[in-house]
Amino acid sequence: SSTNKDQYSLGFAGDTANTAIYLSRLGASSSYITSVGNDKLSKKMISFLRKEKVKTNNIHINKKETVGLYLIDNNKNGERNFFYWRSNSAARTLLKNVNSKVLLKQISKYDAIYFSGITLSIYDQKSNEKFYKILKSLKAKNIKIYFDFNVRLNNWKSKTIALQTII
């Protein structure tokens, strides 16, 4: 039988989403914080997370944007190549459209917060400054903060900006 090597399947993933899902599968209570659109694809993503028992009450709906997309193509040796379409993703707008004080109040009940280098790469400088203020407030409340140094340099304007932001 022939295989359709150029056929792709739709799935929902990403470093932080995968972590929330894995924690849920292990029996932990997990929640995902992001921004998605109000379109069919965004609704499917929320439904998928709910089926995985990941809480979605802190997912902001941005009616002007949608989720970012990426495609993974595996070569014959199994090496993965990534192609991204997420420069206008709703996730980039989260801290522009959500009241930081309200978000902080909601997530102050959490035991821990997890984010990655990819998280930092999608925000502009102003959003990252808001995010750091939220993290400092959470740290002051003795909430554990976990940072995954997952960095994709092509997400950043420059290596210098990436280093300044992460370190």
Side-chain angles (χ1 to χ4, degrees):
S1 76
S2 66
T3 59
N4 293 329
K5 64 178 181 160
D6 291 328
Q7 189 172 21
Y8 294 90
S9 62
L10 173 67
F12 298 97
D15 60 350
T16 55
N18 291 347
T19 300
I21 292 165
Y22 298 152
L23 287 168
S24 178
R25 288 178 181 176
L26 290 170
S29 174
S30 74
S31 178
Y32 197 57
I33 303 167
T34 192
S35 184
V36 299
N38 196 33
D39 57 292
K40 186 175 183 179
L41 195 57
S42 296
K43 289 175 184 177
K44 279 187 171 188
M45 180 180 157
I46 290 173
S47 177
F48 169 76
L49 290 168
R50 286 181 179 152
K51 284 179 188 169
E52 290 287 350
K53 296 182 177 58
V54 174
K55 293 178 185 157
T56 59
N57 56 308
N58 283 318
I59 294 181
H60 176 264
I61 306 298
N62 179 331
K63 294 177 180 162
K64 297 178 185 174
E65 305 292 348
T66 188
V67 293
L69 299 174
Y70 66 95
L71 179 118
I72 304 170
D73 185 53
N74 293 327
N75 69 19
K76 63 182 179 183
N77 299 326
E79 186 66 33
R80 298 181 308 165
N81 295 303
F82 290 84
F83 302 89
Y84 297 101
W85 296 271
R86 59 182 182 195
S87 58
N88 295 316
S89 72
R92 291 180 168 282
T93 69
L94 175 68
L95 293 168
K96 293 177 183 177
N97 295 321
V98 171
N99 182 312
S100 296
K101 290 179 183 175
V102 172
L103 179 61
L104 178 62
K105 185 177 179 185
Q106 290 171 324
I107 63 177
S108 289
K109 301 167 189 141
Y110 294 178
D111 295 324
I113 299 293
Y114 166 85
F115 66 102
S116 75
I118 292 176
T119 307
L120 298 176
S121 74
I122 67 170
Y123 296 145
D124 60 20
Q125 185 177 351
K126 191 174 181 181
S127 291
N128 270 330
E129 287 169 9
K130 280 185 177 181
F131 186 56
Y132 285 136
K133 285 180 184 176
I134 291 170
L135 290 175
K136 285 179 183 177
S137 296
L138 294 171
K139 187 176 180 185
K141 296 174 186 289
N142 291 321
I143 295 170
K144 292 181 179 93
I145 298 171
Y146 296 95
F147 175 63
D148 178 352
F149 281 91
N150 189 3
V151 174
R152 302 275 190 278
L153 280 178
N154 61 344
N155 286 359
W156 296 86
K157 288 183 181 172
S158 73
K159 186 176 179 180
T160 303
I161 292 171
L163 288 170
Q164 288 171 344
T165 305
I166 292 169
I167 299 175

